[in-house]
Amino acid sequence: MRLSMDLELQDVPGQLLLAMQPLSDNKANIISVVHHRDRKTPRGMIPVRFVVEMDRSRIETVQARLEESGISVVRAGEDRFIEAVSVVLVGHVLDSDLGDTINRIDSTGYAEVMDLSLTMPGVNEHSSAYLKIRATGKAEIQKALTILRNVGEEKKLLVIEPIETEAV
């Protein structure tokens, strides 16, 4: 299950590592960490958001361990991908590192590539990739599309969007 956790950490060395330990011990796969050192909560703490994939049965254990360590769990809940969009990339898709393109979207924590199919007519000819991206909301889909447009410009790929959109 995909889960977002909003934590408040003290502004002392080692707090981020302390927060990661219960996740690691409970076999959570950390997808992203957003650490806002430049912001403070009203209690003078540093807000941090973890997006993880983990077994549902381990959530309470992780939360208890975090709180035992003095880390405040502000919110923890399952992320649901409720919006989807399909796009096509055209160009030398494999040469431009399709894996990097997918990782940039997946690493956001609010969107991920759910489906991919490639078409390669010839060795030195343009290829195309059909991507289906899901996100936690309409605004997040737009952010993911902005990332994709920027990657397309950087890697000299044509981005054709949206092929289809849906609410899940």
Side-chain angles (χ1 to χ4, degrees):
M1 151 174 139
R2 190 179 192 112
L3 172 78
S4 289
M5 299 181 82
D6 293 329
L7 310 177
E8 289 183 345
L9 305 181
Q10 296 174 24
D11 193 6
V12 296
Q15 282 288 290
L16 190 58
L17 185 58
L18 188 63
M20 289 180 172
Q21 193 62 51
L23 294 167
S24 176
D25 291 347
N26 284 278
K27 306 206 181 341
N29 179 27
I30 298 173
I31 296 168
S32 71
V33 178
V34 179
H35 188 237
H36 295 286
R37 285 205 46 88
D38 58 330
R39 289 190 229 158
K40 300 280 184 181
T41 67
R43 298 180 335 140
M45 308 287 266
I46 297 173
V48 176
R49 171 171 277 188
F50 281 92
V51 176
V52 300
E53 285 183 353
M54 63 183 294
D55 187 287
R56 184 183 306 267
S57 66
R58 297 177 185 257
I59 295 170
E60 288 180 20
T61 303
V62 168
Q63 283 185 279
R65 292 249 336 262
L66 288 167
E67 290 172 1
E68 287 169 9
S69 300
I71 296 172
S72 177
V73 178
V74 177
R75 187 194 71 79
E78 185 174 0
D79 279 346
R80 297 188 186 273
F81 294 109
I82 58 171
E83 297 289 329
V85 65
S86 297
V87 299
V88 173
L89 301 176
V90 180
H92 291 287
V93 176
L94 292 179
D95 290 342
S96 65
D97 191 2
L98 183 59
D100 174 57
T101 302
I102 292 169
N103 286 338
R104 289 194 202 183
I105 293 168
D106 287 353
S107 68
T108 63
Y110 54 76
E112 68 181 8
V113 175
M114 300 296 290
D115 192 13
L116 164 72
S117 56
L118 289 170
T119 303
M120 294 180 57
V123 176
N124 291 320
E125 296 179 34
H126 284 166
S127 52
S128 64
Y130 171 89
L131 303 174
K132 184 171 190 172
I133 302 168
R134 287 203 176 148
T136 56
K138 288 182 189 292
E140 289 75 16
I141 276 286
Q142 290 306 313
K143 290 179 196 174
L145 286 173
T146 298
I147 290 169
L148 194 57
R149 286 182 209 114
N150 292 340
V151 169
E153 188 175 310
E154 174 188 319
K155 296 177 183 265
K156 297 178 178 35
L157 298 172
L158 173 63
V159 179
I160 303 170
E161 56 155 303
I163 303 302
E164 52 186 1
T165 60
E166 65 182 78
V168 180

